[in-house]
């Protein structure tokens, strides 16, 4: 009984001191730092002079030959690329504005005036679809699953909020809104704009539409002479 009382009053005293005690007072002296970590260190501050370099400038100029990200990279001819991919990369590069979002038009934002627009602003070719499939499998499938059913591998590791893209809401969503989700992310999905060039985002959407169609098809969508094949499987 007495032990309990002593323990409780000790905890109580500690709590009172923690809340009200040692609040310090104003001082003009430098504070006592027991572990200063890296608070004070010699470092480069943006736009500030620095005596370290002979020209007295802190920030350095980029190394000669540095390419700003988002602009066309020279494709080394020495790396063997499968013909299909080379063809697609070239096709993408012939588009006047390969790169990351730079403009305010539909192609770069997914918006037509104030609304989400719809439609793929690139020519829908087999190459574009294959490019979209490849990019989808690289950048989206680990979360959304290979058929976009929301069952990617990350779900098994606890990313519980991944949604299925086969949902009616997403099937009916404007292409431009999906473009924006890829570019800027949405709620718990992070932005993929900095990782995927604009043309590839559209290629992914084109492929996603094909996936949605494939998972919501009726037998009537299959050409008649191919129906027998399906029934066999
Ligand atoms: C790291 C996991 C992850 C990856 C990779 C990922 N997503 Fe998502 N995505 C999510 C999560 C989580 C949500 C649910 C967001 C929410 O509403 O909380 C989501 C939601 C969405 C939505 C629905 C947005 C809405 O309006 O409800 C779309 C469309 C989408 N993702 C498309 C994509 C596409 C296309 C890619 C590939 C470029 C991709 N996602 C890559 C995790 C991911």
């Amino acid at each position: 009984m007495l032990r309990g009382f002593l323990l409780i009053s000790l905890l109580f005293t500690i709590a009172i001191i923690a809340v009200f005690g040692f609040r310090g007072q104003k001082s003009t002296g430098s504070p006592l730092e027991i572990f200063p970590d890296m608070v004070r260190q010699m470092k480069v501050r943006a736009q500030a002079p620095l005596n370290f370099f002979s020209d007295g400038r802190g920030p350095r100029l980029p190394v000669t030959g540095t390419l700003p990200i988002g602009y066309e990279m020279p494709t080394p001819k020495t790396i063997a690329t499968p013909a299909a991919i080379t063809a697609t990369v070239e096709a993408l590069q012939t588009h006047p504005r390969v790169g990351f979002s730079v403009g305010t038009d539909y192609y770069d934002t997914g918006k037509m005036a104030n609304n989400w627009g719809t439609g793929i602003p690139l020519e829908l070719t087999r190459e574009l679809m294959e490019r979209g499939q490849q990019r989808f499998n690289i950048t989206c499938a680990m979360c959304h699953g290979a058929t976009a059913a929301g069952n990617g591998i990350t779900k098994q590791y606890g990313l519980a909020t991944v949604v299925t893209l086969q949902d009616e809401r997403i099937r009916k969503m404007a292409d431009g809104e999906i473009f924006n989700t890829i570019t800027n992310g949405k709620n718990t999905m992070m932005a993929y704009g900095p990782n995927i060039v604009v043309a590839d985002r559209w290629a992914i959407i084109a492929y996603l539409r094909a996936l949605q169609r494939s998972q919501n098809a009726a037998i009537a969508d299959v050409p008649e002479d191919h129906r027998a094949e399906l029934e066999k499987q």
Side-chain angles (χ1 to χ4, degrees):
M1 181 64 192
L2 184 66
R3 252 214 291 154
F5 176 74
L6 282 177
L7 195 68
I8 289 174
S9 39
L10 182 69
L11 289 178
F12 197 65
T13 318
I14 292 175
I16 299 259
I17 292 175
V19 177
F20 297 107
F22 303 125
R23 307 202 52 192
Q25 65 245 116
K26 287 197 179 128
S27 157
T28 48
S30 46
L32 188 68
E33 283 174 302
I34 298 167
F35 299 111
D37 292 331
M38 292 197 283
V39 174
R40 262 159 285 288
Q41 54 179 292
M42 193 177 179
K43 66 184 168 218
V44 180
R45 289 180 193 276
Q47 310 294 334
L50 190 76
N51 289 332
F52 186 76
F53 297 105
S54 57
D55 63 1
R57 286 204 286 190
R60 311 313 296 158
L61 291 173
V63 178
T64 323
T66 304
L67 282 176
I69 196 166
Y71 291 76
E72 212 168 297
M73 294 281 176
T75 20
K77 295 278 178 269
T78 45
I79 300 175
T81 322
I85 297 176
T86 327
T88 324
V89 169
E90 274 163 16
L92 288 174
Q93 284 176 352
T94 51
H95 195 277
R97 283 167 300 143
V98 167
F100 296 86
S101 299
V102 283
T104 52
D105 55 356
Y106 177 61
Y107 177 73
D108 283 299
T109 61
K111 271 194 165 184
M112 290 177 178
N114 287 330
N115 303 315
W116 300 120
T118 208
I120 307 289
L122 289 172
E123 201 189 337
L124 265 183
T125 57
R126 192 189 170 93
E127 269 77 31
L128 190 81
M129 289 301 254
E130 278 168 0
R131 177 87 181 165
Q133 179 178 39
Q134 185 209 37
R135 296 291 118 180
F136 181 90
N137 287 338
I138 293 172
T139 36
C140 318
M142 75 293 254
C143 290
H144 290 289
T147 57
N151 55 358
I153 185 75
T154 54
K155 196 143 207 176
Q156 292 171 30
Y157 287 90
L159 197 66
T161 54
V162 177
V163 291
T164 165
L165 305 181
Q166 294 292 351
D167 197 63
E168 166 129 21
R169 189 175 66 86
I170 313 284
R171 273 195 284 139
K172 290 194 171 151
M173 187 175 274
D175 295 331
E177 189 169 355
I178 297 186
F179 180 89
N180 183 65
T181 299
I182 302 178
T183 311
N184 300 315
K186 174 119 188 205
N187 303 334
T188 48
M189 174 175 151
M190 64 295 268
Y192 282 87
N195 301 1
I196 309 174
V197 295
V198 174
D200 280 344
R201 286 174 230 162
W202 289 115
I204 288 174
I205 297 170
Y207 177 67
L208 174 62
R209 292 309 192 198
L211 278 182
Q212 291 174 333
R213 183 97 199 265
S214 76
Q215 302 301 303
N216 289 282
I219 193 73
D221 294 327
V222 182
E224 233 166 286
D225 42 334
H226 286 285
R227 283 181 203 167
E229 282 169 41
L230 279 180
E231 274 147 22
K232 254 187 272 156
Q233 282 165 14

